[in-house]
Amino acid sequence: MSEQNFYEILEVYPAASKEEIETAFRMLLYKYHPDHNSEREEWSHVMTAKVVDAYQCLSDPERRKLYNFLIYSPLKKKAGDRKFMFFQGKQKEQWQAALLRFNAGVVLFPRQKAKAGAKFKEAIHLWPKFPEALYNLGLCLIELKKYDEARSYFNQVKNLNPKEHEIRRTLRRLDELTKK
Amino acid sequence: MSKIIGIDLGTTNSCAAIMQDGEMVIIPNAEGMRTTPSVVSFMKNGEIIVGEPAKRQEVINPETTVFSIKRFMGRKLDDPSLRNDRELVPYGLVSAINGDLRVKIRDRDYSPPEISALILGKIKRDAEIYLGEKIEKAVITCPAYFNDSQRQATKDAGKIAGLEVLRIINEPTAASLASGFDRKTRRKIAIYDLGGGTFDVSILELGNGVFEVKASSGDTHLGGDDFDQRIIAWLISDFSQKEKIDLQQDRIALQRLKEVAEKAKCELSEKNAAEITLPFIASDTSGPKHLSAKLTRAKMEDLAKDLIQNTLKPCEVALEDSGLRSSNIDEIVLVGGMTRMPKIQELVRRLFGKDPYPGVNPDETVAAGAAIQASVLKGNIRDILLLDVTPFSLGIRTEGGMMSKIIQKNATIPVRKKEIFSTAKDNQTFVRIQVYQGEKPMAADNKLIGTFDLVGIPPAPREIPQIEVCFDVDANGIVRVSAADLETGKEQAIKITPNSGLSESDITQYAKEQSEVKMPDRHDQSQHRTFARGQKDEYQEIESDQAEDEGEMKKSDKKKGLFGLFGG
């Protein structure tokens, strides 16, 4: 099962107003909270924690804006499998080392943006033309509110793949995000 | 489902309550009082007495009469924060093998949860007599600023007393439940709770019946006891000036002073001056000496000036943590006997710029709140929900001895947070997870609440293995930590439950001992006298007596439906 996003957890539309989010949160609390579910302790604990987490993000306008950005520009979880076949010797080792860092960054990303960013940076250091790592590092920097740095990494991705539309869209959304 | 009572297990007084047919009932004790002094006295003949009669023993048998045990719950003997508290009490304190504090009564050491259990045991028995049925479940309150081991110790106390503790809830939060707000309108509430031994302040937001705690702060070593001590110190110095006799050395004199100091303090909430007289307090070659003094309200306020000031800081911290300013607060609730002091009411009025919410009984509200929560857990109230926070940050020790916080203080509970850590050395096959509680950046400056090892990590270069550490804080505020190696894919999780220092077998043994110990109710109504726990026949006999006496009440028990609470 793929992970639910915060809007799905709170059972609201992504365009929901602050009041709608608040009401949904309180209704779901009555449904899930351990106080009202004495027979299903573990389940209600996990569900309540999820709802609280989602609510705390979406009820904060600043955090919600960032979160929306990430929903439409998700993390790249896989790095070019095809390239791997053509590398040999030292180059292959170098690529594998970079890939290891990249994968570590992917695992860290959901919870520790700074650490994940460091891993992607290491991967880029080992393998500079690594678009997925460059893109993911950009996402980490956005979470850390370093928008200009993020933009420079996205531009590097754009230069590597000038024909890709997705990265252009991401850059456009970043402009919207930083626009006051 | 059997009845669930709410218990406010206080430092100086305890109180029990229950919701009956949508009505709040404060359960009177066997002496007919609505609150029970949290005092336990161990008599020479092996009898253990609790409550008001035990309080009378404070003067006669200071060494074997235990009061203010709550200050020592879940603590080590060498805990630096206990330095003042240790001097406060005339009974002996010793250390268990693991450093935990114990109370020494003659040749037996008692853990604080055991003493608390004796108090809970009396409350339980008195409630059983009053309600006419066996009580096995309870919601117990504790200060919001209690840490994990103090909470666990409170839970253990319940278990030893033969009570299943369904929930531990925070005192200020409980108070907010029972303050009688119209739950439909949104508002922000501040609770200022100054009890016998602890001070708590909580900021809450209320909406749709959800009581959401935004922040709480406090001081677990500040309360009415400290105010009494100031008066005692003043009386002693006054007496030594007049009579050149030091009362400090005389334990019995000290206990008598404590008694009158507390009384004078209470009087000063109503009057401008209190007369204190203690005949025959000491004697020298010229004959017996009598103590007589007049304490004015102004003098009292001067003696306790810094204590009152000390409550300001936690208020400011809680406001700051909640992101609110004092002017944003819609209601302010005063809880705890000490808030009757005019000077404290004045301070609160000045701080928040408004009068306290009227009609709140500072001694009974917390127990009433616990009873409401009990009713929620029972499923009788469906339109109230408590959403509390954890008062401390939680984290693990990482490289360089730093504290890596996983759960920030004032995080809403229940909460589950996961973070990923790695190894510090190449081919490291195990990691030690050390769980700390506190706000300081260095782990060693915080409180270590648990340690465990995660073993069997496949050899790999440093920083490559991914170890997921998962923190859970349940609705009781009790912490659970597990760790798993994501690399191997297998679920290799270990759970730790930080404890109060008592093992499961200790608790079972103490529970057995307490159910057998002779606890006479040597006072009042004769029908109560024969009653002792664990003696089933006698129990039933009393129950049937009781049913006759209070048949009216029993009938009304049958009715259900508590939705009409507060008429709201």
Side-chain angles (χ1 to χ4, degrees):
Chain A
M1 198 183 80
S2 72
E3 201 132 296
Q4 284 179 299
N5 76 35
F6 287 166
Y7 293 103
E8 286 162 353
I9 290 170
L10 288 184
E11 300 173 16
V12 292
Y13 291 109
S17 69
K18 202 173 177 329
E19 283 71 37
E20 283 171 317
I21 287 175
E22 231 163 70
T23 312
F25 169 61
R26 299 215 163 105
M27 294 330 280
L28 288 174
L29 273 182
Y30 282 115
K31 185 168 151 193
Y32 294 137
H33 197 277
D35 286 0
H36 293 276
N37 293 284
S38 52
E39 278 92 55
R40 307 168 72 185
E41 228 171 90
E42 179 68 16
W43 171 84
S44 68
H45 173 81
V46 174
M47 292 309 283
T48 311
K50 260 190 184 176
V51 166
V52 166
D53 217 25
Y55 171 70
Q56 282 177 342
C57 174
L58 298 185
S59 60
D60 179 340
E62 199 67 17
R63 282 185 66 191
R64 187 176 172 186
K65 241 165 52 179
L66 275 178
Y67 184 76
N68 288 348
F69 182 92
L70 283 178
I71 289 185
Y72 296 110
S73 298
L75 184 81
K76 298 233 187 291
K77 292 188 174 160
K78 283 223 167 82
D81 288 335
R82 276 174 300 127
K83 292 177 199 150
F84 174 66
M85 292 159 30
F86 306 109
F87 301 141
Q88 275 171 1
K90 181 113 172 71
Q91 210 181 15
K92 186 174 173 180
E93 264 174 40
Q94 192 87 354
W95 168 248
Q96 277 178 329
L99 199 60
L100 206 58
R101 303 302 188 284
F102 176 83
N103 288 335
V106 169
V107 176
L108 286 168
F109 184 81
R111 282 150 206 135
Q112 289 134 296
K113 308 294 185 230
K115 274 193 195 171
K119 290 284 169 210
F120 292 129
K121 226 173 205 166
E122 282 174 30
I124 294 161
H125 184 73
L126 289 161
W127 198 267
K129 289 183 181 176
F130 195 162
E132 292 88 351
L134 288 164
Y135 171 84
N136 286 352
L137 176 56
L139 291 186
C140 294
L141 290 163
I142 285 177
E143 285 270 337
L144 300 167
K145 305 211 165 97
K146 293 174 180 166
Y147 300 120
D148 292 334
E149 265 185 78
R151 187 175 286 112
S152 81
Y153 284 107
F154 287 146
N155 277 324
Q156 284 186 45
V157 178
K158 196 173 85 175
N159 295 338
L160 285 174
N161 299 322
K163 284 184 188 146
E164 205 192 300
H165 289 297
E166 208 190 305
I167 187 67
R168 288 165 192 278
R169 279 198 294 272
T170 301
L171 274 163
R172 226 173 12 247
R173 272 198 294 274
L174 178 58
D175 287 337
E176 277 167 34
L177 184 72
T178 48
K179 199 166 59 192
K180 275 290 157 208
Chain B
M1 198 171 166
S2 62
K3 285 178 178 162
I4 311 170
I5 57 170
I7 302 173
D8 170 10
L9 182 59
T11 309
T12 46
N13 287 294
S14 296
C15 181
I18 191 165
M19 293 286 298
Q20 300 247 59
D21 303 327
E23 293 283 328
M24 180 60 62
V25 179
I26 302 291
I27 301 170
N29 61 18
E31 296 82 35
M33 307 292 288
R34 290 160 75 88
T35 59
T36 302
S38 304
V39 184
V40 178
S41 189
F42 298 84
M43 309 301 286
K44 269 206 190 77
N45 60 5
E47 283 181 0
I48 299 170
I49 52 176
V50 182
E52 196 57 49
K55 199 174 170 159
R56 280 180 232 130
Q57 295 293 323
E58 274 180 16
V59 175
I60 316 161
N61 294 311
E63 277 96 0
T64 56
T65 304
V66 183
F67 59 88
S68 293
I69 192 65
K70 196 173 171 184
R71 291 191 173 222
F72 304 117
M73 290 285 271
R75 300 268 189 192
K76 302 263 179 214
L77 182 69
D78 58 3
D79 190 326
S81 63
L82 289 182
R83 214 178 314 125
N84 293 330
D85 298 316
R86 280 205 304 262
E87 287 164 18
L88 251 156
V89 298
Y91 47 87
L93 298 174
V94 293
S95 168
I97 299 160
N98 61 1
D100 284 350
L101 181 146
R102 292 283 185 272
V103 176
K104 192 166 181 64
I105 302 292
R106 298 194 189 93
D107 52 355
R108 165 95 155 79
D109 293 349
Y110 289 89
S111 65
E114 277 178 274
I115 309 267
S116 292
L118 289 164
I119 301 164
L120 290 172
K122 173 178 166 61
I123 289 172
K124 176 177 185 277
R125 287 194 311 278
D126 290 354
E128 284 169 345
I129 290 165
Y130 181 76
L131 297 168
E133 66 179 85
K134 203 141 181 69
I135 300 294
E136 280 158 342
K137 293 173 180 170
V139 171
I140 302 181
T141 62
C142 76
Y145 218 54
F146 252 20
N147 69 26
D148 202 68
S149 31
Q150 291 169 304
R151 279 167 204 273
Q152 194 61 49
T154 308
K155 244 190 148 172
D156 290 349
K159 228 185 255 174
I160 294 169
L163 286 167
E164 185 190 344
V165 183
L166 294 180
R167 186 75 88 234
I168 298 280
I169 63 170
N170 292 334
E171 284 157 12
T173 325
S176 73
L177 282 183
S179 296
F181 295 115
D182 166 21
R183 297 192 300 278
K184 293 288 172 281
T185 35
R186 293 195 51 166
R187 63 184 81 197
K188 298 185 177 69
I189 306 163
I191 316 281
Y192 180 103
D193 178 358
L194 187 57
T198 55
F199 173 63
D200 268 330
V201 54
S202 285
I203 311 284
L204 292 102
E205 207 178 315
L206 168 62
N208 287 15
V210 176
F211 289 75
E212 189 186 351
V213 181
K214 290 292 187 187
S216 54
S217 186
D219 185 339
T220 44
H221 294 276
L222 177 62
D225 282 358
D226 300 294
F227 288 71
D228 298 348
Q229 285 305 312
R230 292 297 162 87
I231 300 175
I232 295 170
W234 175 74
L235 288 172
I236 288 174
S237 83
D238 194 53
F239 190 75
S240 85
Q241 263 173 23
K242 279 187 207 151
E243 308 286 351
K244 306 277 177 283
I245 295 174
D246 184 11
L247 294 175
Q248 193 78 52
Q249 307 310 322
D250 184 348
R251 293 223 136 154
I252 290 185
L254 276 178
Q255 280 310 311
R256 288 180 67 192
L257 283 168
K258 179 170 178 279
E259 212 172 26
V260 290
E262 192 187 339
K263 220 171 118 229
K265 179 188 72 181
C266 296
E267 269 179 45
L268 286 176
S269 296
E270 310 288 330
K271 298 192 289 187
N272 275 320
E275 295 287 345
I276 299 171
T277 48
L278 277 176
F280 303 104
I281 187 81
S283 65
D284 62 9
T285 45
S286 65
K289 300 285 176 197
H290 315 296
L291 181 147
S292 136
K294 187 178 174 184
L295 181 61
T296 62
R297 188 184 280 179
K299 182 69 196 168
M300 165 84 221
E301 286 165 3
D302 185 49
L303 288 172
K305 208 164 148 193
D306 58 314
L307 295 176
I308 299 169
Q309 279 298 316
N310 284 348
T311 66
L312 270 179
K313 183 96 208 291
C315 291
E316 283 159 7
V317 170
L319 276 170
E320 198 190 313
D321 288 348
S322 66
L324 296 172
R325 271 186 294 181
S326 57
S327 55
N328 297 131
I329 301 295
D330 301 308
E331 306 289 358
I332 157 111
V333 178
L334 296 182
V335 189
M338 269 318 296
T339 59
R340 288 201 177 89
M341 189 176 180
K343 191 77 186 167
I344 284 173
Q345 295 180 357
E346 186 193 311
L347 173 115
V348 170
R349 207 171 284 129
R350 215 175 45 227
L351 180 64
F352 292 97
K354 55 176 63 74
D355 284 328
Y357 193 75
V360 176
N361 181 324
D363 300 319
E364 297 170 0
T365 319
V366 171
I372 293 175
Q373 180 67 9
S375 213
V376 170
L377 294 177
K378 221 177 145 188
N380 286 343
I381 298 177
R382 301 292 304 176
D383 60 350
I384 287 185
L385 206 134
L386 250 190
L387 210 52
D388 223 314
V389 297
T390 159
F392 301 100
S393 295
L394 293 162
I396 62 173
R397 184 189 160 115
T398 51
E399 251 199 300
M402 299 295 286
M403 159 105 167
S404 183
K405 284 182 190 171
I406 295 182
I407 293 178
Q408 299 288 336
K409 73 167 174 175
N410 291 318
T412 301
I413 51 172
V415 61
R416 164 171 291 183
K417 281 260 156 46
K418 294 174 182 172
E419 273 203 35
I420 290 161
F421 293 90
S422 197
T423 48
K425 291 192 188 88
D426 289 340
N427 300 324
Q428 190 175 331
T429 56
F430 81 98
V431 286
R432 172 155 293 174
I433 313 277
Q434 288 170 291
V435 184
Y436 284 88
Q437 185 170 48
E439 311 310 319
K440 306 269 169 53
M442 296 306 287
D445 298 332
N446 294 316
K447 187 183 185 312
L448 179 69
I449 58 169
T451 300
F452 65 90
D453 293 334
L454 180 70
V455 296
I457 301 167
R462 62 187 282 265
E463 297 206 3
I464 293 303
Q466 287 160 339
I467 292 136
E468 186 182 67
V469 178
C470 177
F471 272 64
D472 278 292
V473 184
D474 69 13
N476 292 315
I478 288 172
V479 186
R480 218 171 42 178
V481 182
S482 61
D485 180 9
L486 294 182
E487 211 72 5
T488 54
K490 65 184 170 193
E491 193 68 27
Q492 198 181 10
I494 304 153
K495 280 176 188 161
I496 56 161
T497 309
N499 60 54
S500 64
L502 296 182
S503 70
E504 203 60 42
S505 61
D506 287 341
I507 294 168
T508 322
Q509 190 207 328
Y510 296 151
K512 193 164 169 282
E513 275 175 27
Q514 290 207 359
S515 67
E516 286 162 358
V517 84
K518 190 94 181 121
M519 283 189 260
D521 285 5
R522 18 162 54 208
H523 37 266
D524 313 286
Q525 302 112 307
S526 56
Q527 59 172 355
H528 296 166
R529 194 169 287 157
T530 49
F531 179 69
R533 280 218 335 256
Q535 293 174 303
K536 205 153 185 271
D537 293 343
E538 277 185 25
Y539 175 76
Q540 279 166 345
E541 192 184 308
I542 288 153
E543 190 178 62
S544 54
D545 281 349
Q546 202 63 19
E548 275 169 36
D549 288 344
E550 288 161 36
E552 199 54 40
M553 193 193 74
K554 281 217 63 147
K555 248 177 270 158
S556 63
D557 286 357
K558 300 284 188 303
K559 281 182 258 157
K560 286 282 182 247
L562 298 174
F563 293 95
L565 177 65
F566 305 136

